[in-house]
Amino acid sequence: MWGSLTGSDTQLNQRSYYEASVQRGAPRAPLREHLHVDALVVGAGFSGLSAALEMAQRGLSVAVLEAERIGSGASGRNGGQAIVGYASGQGPFEQQLGREDAERAWAMSLEAIDLIDRRIAEHRIDCDRALGYVYVAENARKARALREEMDGLQARGIGVEWAEGADMGALIGSDHYRAAARERRSGHLHPLKYALGLARAAEAAGVRVFERSAVTALQRGDTLVARTAQGQVSARFGVLAGNCMLAEHGPAVAPEIAARIMPVGTYILGTAPVDPALAARLIPGNAAVCDNNFVLDYYRFSADHRMLFGGRVSYTTRTPARLEQTMQARMAAVFPALRAVPVEHLWGGFVDISMNRAPDFGRLGPNLYYLQGFSGHGVALTGLAGQLVAEAVLGQAGRFDVYARLRHRRFPGGPLLRTPSLALGMLWHRLRDVL
């Protein structure tokens, strides 16, 4: 079932650096009443909390139903990289929407970055925010593709520093790469600290958040009724923000959109802290880093100088064999100086991707909205999504509809063959990456 964790995955997430470095406090109570509100949000991750906060700030009463705990899905275990643009690039926007709306979408992706910093300042969220992003390429073919991508960023007003050969050390302390580029609009943060900060801000605005409250059924109509094991919420408006976890905890809630996203397992290794001077030499300027392979590596240093090295994606919904050894070897190939540094953390789980890697926002009726398909760019885009859906609920849907107009295809193969088909396709891309 999509989003489900095997037993080894559940044990794996007990080693999360993010969980180890926060103080969650006592769990919020599950829903045990019949509640009437203006707006219901399903999912207490970035997009759900953002939507709840925005709607509450606009005067609506809001309840959030979370199947597990705040940030227990992708929002609390991702790579923490807040990136301009879209995983799909501008292609789907230009092809489907035309140049004017494609440029509106690009501008909104920059707004999404600014929104993070505005919320951090307004709500005093301490989440280890840092600016700076380095893109790296492993071979000549990848370097040409990276140069083309960076030329596109510069054409849109994003300043880029380019490096090859002897100049590489200024951007990345590794001989593994052929070229590198740095821009300073993107950056990184501690995602679970940010999610918990958004939750506090939403609750301060009047939002009621219920944990351990999976939606088991959703009745649609002029009034939406969401049922849980011990209670129900009636609302004029609803926002589904569970992404690939929605199908696990509430398979009957929105089956018509489930096949438009695919759960992809991604994993992160966390080392013991290293000397700050070594960290500064390996990643000058404390940037986040990502290669441009289709099956990519992404990494950064934490605020306490641990290497957080992510990648090793899985399309089979099972934790890869010898995960720690494989990821440690990959990290050592990039940074030989970290070969002997102990591994203290290893965690992972599913993120949602759409077929074309563009975000999938839309409606399932006049008063029920959904947000999904962030495809690896969710740290920034989820915040924007919440703001746009709040605007739409209050009758200003122009910006939301830029995204809602995008057409999305279902993943082929049906429930039984969809994941194996994708796994075979990713194997082909993995082979291309090494050529």
Side-chain angles (χ1 to χ4, degrees):
M1 187 174 290
W2 285 18
S4 60
L5 295 175
T6 65
S8 59
D9 286 319
T10 303
Q11 184 178 12
L12 177 71
N13 282 334
Q14 294 174 2
R15 297 179 62 191
S16 165
Y17 165 72
Y18 297 143
E19 291 285 356
S21 55
V22 302
Q23 294 291 329
R24 274 190 176 269
R28 288 151 177 87
L31 179 70
R32 294 193 181 98
E33 60 185 293
H34 289 191
L35 190 62
H36 296 268
V37 294
D38 294 320
L40 159 72
V41 176
V42 179
F46 290 156
S47 57
L49 292 169
S50 174
L53 173 61
E54 292 283 343
M55 290 188 289
Q57 289 177 329
R58 289 163 166 79
L60 299 184
S61 59
V62 185
V64 177
L65 300 179
E66 166 56 45
E68 296 179 11
R69 298 204 67 187
I70 290 166
S72 61
S75 296
R77 47 176 158 69
N78 64 75
Q81 301 194 358
I83 316 166
V84 301
Y86 303 93
S88 62
Q90 286 293 101
F93 296 90
E94 293 173 351
Q95 294 157 15
Q96 296 190 38
L97 307 183
R99 183 168 297 277
E100 182 177 350
D101 274 347
E103 289 305 315
R104 288 183 69 191
W106 169 256
M108 284 192 281
S109 86
L110 301 183
E111 180 185 336
I113 299 289
D114 296 336
L115 180 60
I116 289 175
D117 292 313
R118 188 163 73 248
R119 284 180 172 162
I120 288 172
E122 179 180 352
H123 304 294
R124 299 181 181 180
I125 302 174
D126 181 7
C127 60
D128 307 336
R129 180 75 167 114
L131 294 178
Y133 200 86
V134 172
Y135 307 77
V136 289
E138 291 185 343
N139 56 43
R141 180 174 64 85
K142 293 291 185 179
R144 290 191 295 271
L146 180 61
R147 190 60 191 252
E148 183 178 348
E149 181 183 357
M150 293 302 103
D151 287 347
L153 285 184
Q154 289 187 302
R156 292 187 171 90
I158 303 295
V160 174
E161 303 167 60
W162 180 263
E164 293 182 77
D167 297 330
M168 291 278 287
L171 302 189
I172 186 78
S174 173
D175 295 330
H176 187 74
Y177 301 108
R178 178 70 173 265
R182 179 167 58 195
E183 51 94 352
R184 300 181 185 273
R185 285 301 301 270
S186 304
H188 57 97
L189 50 73
H190 188 304
L192 186 54
K193 287 182 179 179
Y194 184 57
L196 295 174
L198 285 179
R200 289 191 294 270
E203 290 175 319
V207 174
R208 297 186 65 182
V209 180
F210 300 91
E211 296 183 320
R212 310 295 187 190
S213 299
V215 176
T216 58
L218 179 62
Q219 176 183 314
R220 304 183 193 182
D222 292 340
T223 297
L224 302 170
V225 181
R227 294 182 174 84
T228 69
Q230 302 177 73
Q232 71 178 44
V233 176
S234 298
R236 291 190 295 143
F237 302 99
V239 178
L240 302 179
N243 303 313
C244 58
M245 301 303 287
L246 188 65
E248 176 186 6
H249 294 294
V253 171
E256 62 265 60
I257 61 172
R260 301 227 302 253
I261 56 171
M262 173 67 71
V264 174
T266 185
Y267 303 91
I268 303 175
L269 172 154
T271 69
V274 303
D275 188 305
L278 175 61
R281 178 170 62 82
L282 297 183
I283 307 181
N286 190 31
V289 185
C290 185
D291 67 36
N292 66 341
N293 292 335
F294 192 89
V295 183
L296 50 80
D297 291 331
Y298 54 90
Y299 47 89
R300 62 189 181 89
F301 279 105
S302 65
D304 57 352
H305 306 107
R306 300 172 185 269
M307 168 56 71
L308 307 182
F309 194 93
R312 193 58 181 96
V313 297
S314 169
Y315 297 88
T316 66
T317 73
R318 291 192 172 275
T319 304
R322 296 177 51 81
L323 177 63
E324 181 171 328
Q325 296 90 331
T326 301
M327 293 191 65
Q328 193 171 22
R330 182 65 182 170
M331 178 183 69
V334 176
F335 296 120
L338 300 180
R339 187 181 305 277
V341 178
V343 174
E344 294 188 352
H345 300 279
L346 185 68
W347 71 99
F350 297 120
V351 298
D352 63 325
I353 62 170
S354 63
M355 178 73 83
N356 62 2
R357 304 300 192 271
D360 182 10
F361 309 160
R363 299 172 180 81
L364 299 176
N367 60 347
L368 181 59
Y369 299 80
Y370 68 89
L371 306 169
Q372 64 178 21
F374 295 99
S375 303
H377 279 232
V379 173
L381 289 178
T382 46
L384 175 73
Q387 186 178 76
L388 299 187
V389 79
E391 294 172 3
V393 162
L394 292 175
Q396 301 296 320
R399 301 201 315 153
F400 181 85
D401 284 342
V402 170
Y403 296 89
R405 286 169 50 208
L406 287 171
R407 298 182 302 278
H408 289 272
R409 296 168 54 196
R410 298 164 62 93
F411 279 91
L416 294 178
L417 297 178
R418 186 177 298 127
T419 295
S421 297
L422 186 61
L424 287 173
M426 293 308 105
L427 177 60
W428 182 81
H429 281 289
R430 192 185 299 273
L431 292 172
R432 284 202 70 217
D433 282 339
V434 302
L435 298 178

